[in-house]
Amino acid sequence: MANLRLTLTLALTLVFPVPAVYRQQVPGLFVTFEGGEACGKSTQLSRLVRRLEKLNRPVLAVYDPGSTEVGAAIRQLLLHAKPGDSMRSETELLLFAASRAQLVGETIRPALKKGSVVVSDRFYDSTTVYQGFGRGLDLAFVRALNEFVAHGCRPDRTFLLDLDVAISRSRQLRRVRPVGQQDRMERLSDEFFEEVRRGYLKIAEAEPERVKIVDASGSEDQVEEAIWNEIHGLLF
């Protein structure tokens, strides 16, 4: 099995090389939001989009998985459909990758080429930490798959909304939704999410220019200002 993973990893990185200069060839800006459950990603994404729209900047918000017809169907299977309860970790990894491949090719890359600011609720860092660190899948293979699927479409800036797992659980309990309606990922253990958080912090440590850690325990206004102060220099 180890030899098979190595072979597949080499195939993805050598047979399908990623064009390293791709992000330098398009005029748009690609921003992603990452973090554990209930850290406020969707709220902050919406706030950033509103501020950009007020400045008349062309902006597109997307969700990974989702934001295409193919992605929406995969998202339903991954997070909400009953058959997903028996899903293997490897299947989960490949489905997230399939949704992202569609999202990049159909939506993100064309918008960047037009000069838009693309703001995404999750991207490939989520796969690295959830399926790599959390599920324990081979990290080298996960990263090679991420590169293959993104095909050079790398975020210019990633905001990691960092939040203690205990606070995350407390926020989830306050969400207004029907009883028992957590999605399949939200139902995972605290130990799993501790690994997810550890993975995110390791990525931020390895890529400090791209990944900016934002304390998500503050108020929504405080978090918004921290994000705006950081991204302002990229926009103007």
Side-chain angles (χ1 to χ4, degrees):
M1 181 61 70
N3 289 336
L4 176 60
R5 286 198 300 268
L6 177 60
T7 300
L8 291 172
T9 301
L10 290 173
L12 289 172
T13 55
L14 298 178
V15 179
F16 303 104
V18 173
V21 298
Y22 168 72
R23 286 299 295 118
Q24 300 172 9
Q25 297 172 346
V26 296
L29 184 71
F30 187 23
V31 179
T32 59
F33 283 86
E34 296 283 357
E37 305 305 311
C39 66
K41 295 186 314 305
S42 299
T43 296
Q44 294 304 325
L45 181 148
S46 297
R47 286 182 170 223
L48 178 58
V49 167
R50 285 198 296 270
R51 290 185 81 148
L52 292 171
E53 288 175 340
K54 288 180 181 178
L55 295 172
N56 294 318
R57 292 295 298 263
V59 58
L60 175 68
V62 298
Y63 297 85
D64 183 5
S67 295
T68 66
E69 288 188 9
V70 171
I74 293 174
R75 181 184 183 90
Q76 177 65 22
L77 176 58
L78 279 165
L79 301 181
H80 304 294
K82 185 64 176 176
D85 292 343
S86 61
M87 188 180 299
R88 291 181 57 85
S89 298
E90 296 87 348
T91 307
E92 180 181 271
L93 169 67
L94 295 173
L95 284 172
F96 275 114
S99 176
R100 186 169 303 123
Q102 190 73 20
L103 180 62
V104 168
E106 182 178 319
T107 305
I108 294 177
R109 183 178 292 130
L112 290 173
K113 287 182 176 179
K114 292 178 181 178
S116 296
V117 179
V118 178
V119 187
S120 183
D121 187 334
R122 299 196 182 280
F123 198 59
Y124 56 44
D125 292 317
S126 285
T127 297
T128 300
V129 299
Y130 276 74
Q131 283 69 56
F133 285 87
R135 296 295 196 193
L137 297 179
D138 183 82
L139 277 171
F141 179 75
V142 171
R143 286 168 175 150
L145 180 63
N146 284 343
E147 290 292 333
F148 170 61
V149 167
H151 201 61
C153 192
R154 296 181 175 90
D156 296 292
R157 183 70 81 246
T158 295
F159 292 106
L160 169 56
L161 275 59
D162 182 50
L163 190 65
D164 183 82
V165 173
I167 299 176
S168 169
R169 288 299 191 195
S170 176
R171 287 186 179 182
Q172 288 180 59
L173 292 174
R174 298 199 300 269
R175 283 177 168 173
V176 179
R177 60 171 58 176
V179 176
Q181 289 300 305
Q182 287 182 315
D183 68 41
R184 193 173 64 87
M185 303 304 290
E186 291 172 335
R187 295 196 297 269
L188 295 170
S189 69
D190 286 356
E191 290 74 19
F192 177 90
F193 286 109
E194 290 291 357
E195 286 300 305
V196 164
R197 187 185 186 197
R198 182 176 72 87
Y200 271 130
L201 293 175
K202 286 182 72 69
I203 293 174
E205 181 181 7
E207 300 184 61
E209 292 302 313
R210 174 177 70 89
V211 183
K212 304 301 180 182
I213 301 174
V214 178
D215 181 2
S217 65
S219 70
E220 292 179 357
D221 289 343
Q222 289 172 330
V223 174
E224 178 183 356
E225 286 307 310
I227 291 168
W228 185 251
N229 289 338
E230 173 60 41
I231 202 172
H232 188 271
L234 292 177
L235 295 167
F236 304 102

